[in-house]
Amino acid sequence: MAGSRSQSSGLRALRPVAFGADPSGERMARIRRSPHFKDGVFQNPGGTARIRPSGSTRDLAKTYFDKDSRTRRAPKSAIPVHPTTLADISRPPATGLRLTWMGHSSVLAEIDGHRVLFDPVWGERCSPFPFAGPRRLHPVPLPLAALGPVDVVVISHDHYDHLDLPAIKALAGTDTLFAVPLGVGAHLERWGVSAGRLRELDWHETTEIGGLTLTATPARHFCGRGLRNTQHTLWASWVVTGEEHRIYHSGDTGYFEGFKDIGTDHGPFDATMIQVGAYSDFWPDIHMTPEEGVRAHLDLQGGGPGGVLLPIHWGTFNLAPHAWAEPGEWMKEAAEEAGQAVAFPRPGEPFEPAGKPPVEAWWRAVSGPIARPWRRPRSAGGVAGTSRSDLDLAGER
């Protein structure tokens, strides 16, 4: 027995620090008591979603390594980044709510006098290794240290493009609190965040931080960082409610009927941050397309347009076979068709949802042509559902 414990300790010592740590002890006991944990794993709403691509490995590899496909999955020139300064984000928002998209799913939300940082990813790669894995397509808008004090960091789940070791280790040296899904605290403790600064929640649980109420809400996804995907850490979307405003961050999720329930229980929202990138026919139940993202937003708002939708999880990393600018273009089309207001800030560009959200299709200046039929709204003399293919975005500016 002693030899077995020694061997186990040795294996843990060899585990790369970026893998984090598996839940154990009272944390694991709490996981086992969760109503969403069954048969040794966390379950999705409606059952377990796939955690590996569907179809053949050969088809997936062919899609990824196709020469034309590789070209489309990156911008043709530098992505315009707003050079965020402390002056941009130090004065209080005039309306009480301001959002700054830092790229991918990282958003600084300034809400009713408090600052919330969602899924901060400041590393060069979303990978456990500094020399391999998807690399940033644009620089971070400003250094993490220049962001100023943050009241709470909110993590949606433990995948590398959402739970970033460099960012967490930097934030561990501050006094900020962390709101994370059940089990994820094990990673943060290994990286230097004390247990007293963790608020670790199961779905539908709530915590109060300052004048904010944070609630972990369901999502349809999965988890995992190491070589073994034990499904012992939860994934979540998040509702943050202040004195005057309420916002929603989807994390990563496939579309599911639960958005309507979240909207009924917590909505409507002044702004939603919705995952609309890195989708694929190979994994349709764990990531949303832009059209599904619009549908999710409408569900959260009670069935009709309202608030402002901020598309996230696109533009910063190459994580799927679709063209780089496709999420932005498709979102623009789908939202216009639904009559829903959408913000399209450049990375680092602050905006107030109640003010004048940025709407310019900035990606068109740096994208190659996209060959995809876009659904068009009904127009005089036209038919709903007509499409155009081989859309040359450069010619559409």
Side-chain angles (χ1 to χ4, degrees), residues 16-35:
V17 66
F19 282 8
D22 293 327
S24 61
E26 177 51 36
R27 179 176 278 116
M28 192 63 213
R30 187 180 168 203
I31 288 170
R32 292 192 179 100
R33 294 193 298 268
S34 168

Side-chain angles (χ1 to χ4, degrees), residues 24-182:
S24 61
E26 177 51 36
R27 179 176 278 116
M28 192 63 213
R30 187 180 168 203
I31 288 170
R32 292 192 179 100
R33 294 193 298 268
S34 168
H36 310 110
F37 191 78
K38 182 181 178 183
D39 299 328
V41 296
F42 277 113
Q43 303 286 325
N44 269 300
T48 300
R50 75 195 74 197
I51 61 173
R52 292 181 178 81
S54 60
S56 71
T57 303
R58 180 180 179 182
D59 288 344
L60 180 61
K62 183 178 178 181
T63 300
Y64 263 95
F65 292 108
D66 175 77
K67 182 179 179 181
D68 292 336
S69 173
R70 288 203 312 271
T71 302
R72 290 194 301 271
R73 294 203 306 270
K76 66 180 183 180
S77 56
I79 295 172
V81 175
H82 179 85
T84 316
T85 66
L86 188 57
D88 287 326
I89 53 179
S90 61
R91 66 185 185 281
T95 62
L97 176 63
R98 181 168 57 214
L99 302 178
T100 306
W101 179 51
M102 299 296 177
H104 202 57
S105 295
S106 304
V107 182
L108 174 66
E110 297 166 274
I111 174 172
D112 298 336
H114 303 277
R115 308 177 92 228
V116 182
L117 183 59
F118 291 96
D119 285 355
V121 174
W122 257 252
E124 185 64 19
R125 297 181 187 269
C126 50
S127 165
F129 308 110
F131 53 84
R135 193 170 188 173
R136 302 185 69 92
L137 298 175
H138 66 79
V140 292
L142 81 170
L144 190 58
L147 203 60
V150 173
D151 295 292
V152 56
V153 174
V154 176
I155 303 296
S156 64
H157 63 296
D158 70 359
H159 284 158
Y160 290 100
D161 58 322
H162 295 261
L163 181 59
D164 177 55
L165 174 60
I168 299 301
K169 293 197 81 167
L171 290 162
T174 70
D175 59 1
T176 187
L177 301 178
F178 292 81
V180 303
L182 188 54

